[in-house]
Amino acid sequence: MQFQHLDNKQKGEFFLDDAQGKRIAEISYIWRSEEIIVADHTWVDDSLRGQGAARKLLDVLVEFAREKQLKIVPTCSYVDTMFKRDQSLVDVAA
């Protein structure tokens, strides 16, 4: 899966569109400060269920945070759950 990224320094998202340009997966965030982003939404179309798309989106967001030396506040229930389950994400948790 090759995700696209949009960011206007107020909010951003990583997403996947299908061949027709229809959005089929996304994870979005809001900039709280220069060092903190808030992961506020994750969505995956039913056509991708069971393929690990939500985790791949989270991994891309975490990679982005690590590269930019950011911390993530998880307000999205999926991200919050994954932060509690997976200790490998503790370095980016705010």
Side-chain angles (χ1 to χ4, degrees):
M1 291 181 194
Q2 185 64 37
F3 298 107
Q4 298 178 61
H5 183 213
L6 294 174
D7 186 321
N8 66 11
K9 286 298 183 189
Q10 292 180 357
K11 59 184 179 176
E13 62 184 347
F14 290 92
F15 62 94
L16 181 65
D17 290 343
D18 66 12
Q20 291 76 39
K22 178 186 172 204
R23 182 75 45 100
I24 56 174
E26 63 190 15
I27 190 167
S28 62
Y29 58 90
I30 300 167
W31 285 92
R32 181 175 283 176
S33 70
E34 290 185 15
E35 300 87 23
I36 297 174
I37 57 175
V38 177
D40 65 334
H41 175 71
T42 305
W43 172 79
V44 176
D45 187 76
D46 288 341
S47 66
L48 294 175
R49 300 275 177 194
Q51 296 181 41
R55 180 57 196 239
K56 290 174 186 171
L57 283 164
L58 177 58
D59 289 345
V60 170
L61 180 65
V62 167
E63 180 181 323
F64 171 75
R66 287 178 176 146
E67 287 175 6
K68 304 288 186 186
Q69 299 179 359
L70 304 171
K71 296 293 183 182
I72 300 172
V73 174
T75 61
C76 165
S77 60
Y78 173 75
V79 177
D80 185 49
T81 298
M82 294 309 294
F83 272 31
K84 289 174 182 171
R85 285 186 189 166
D86 189 342
Q87 291 300 305
S88 73
L89 305 174
V90 71
D91 65 307
V92 295

